[in-house]
């Protein structure tokens, strides 16, 4: 259960980071600062990877284990 909670927390933080980096990217593109927009795009990719890793490594195994226990 701890793994499920930690994975969901990791996914929530990752999604908040994705939203924040999109807003930062929009701001930097309006200010014509291309380098900062590129940096926020890299941050966007890292936070999106955090969401995927949180799901694949922590949430998915627990859900499949719970599903297998219910079917038995």
């Amino acid at each position: 259960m701890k793994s499920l909670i930690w994975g969901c927390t990791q996914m929530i933080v990752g999604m908040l980071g994705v939203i924040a980096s999109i807003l930062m990217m929009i701001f930097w593109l309006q200010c014509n600062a291309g380098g900062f927009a590129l940096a926020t795009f890299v941050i966007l990719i890292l936070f999106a990877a955090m969401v995927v890793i949180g799901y694949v490594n922590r949430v998915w195994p627990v859900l499949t284990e719970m599903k297998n226990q219910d079917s038995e």
Side-chain angles (χ1 to χ4, degrees), residues 9-60:
T9 304
Q10 189 175 4
M11 290 172 58
I12 290 169
V13 170
M15 286 307 298
L16 290 173
V18 166
I19 292 167
S21 62
I22 288 172
L23 292 174
M24 285 174 27
M25 191 183 321
I26 291 169
F27 173 75
W28 288 117
L29 285 174
Q30 287 180 352
C31 292
N32 292 327
F36 289 115
L38 180 63
T40 56
F41 183 72
V42 171
I43 293 169
L44 173 75
I45 298 296
L46 292 175
F47 276 117
M50 184 178 181
V51 172
V52 172
I53 290 169
Y55 181 75
V56 170
N57 286 341
R58 304 220 183 244
V59 176
W60 188 34

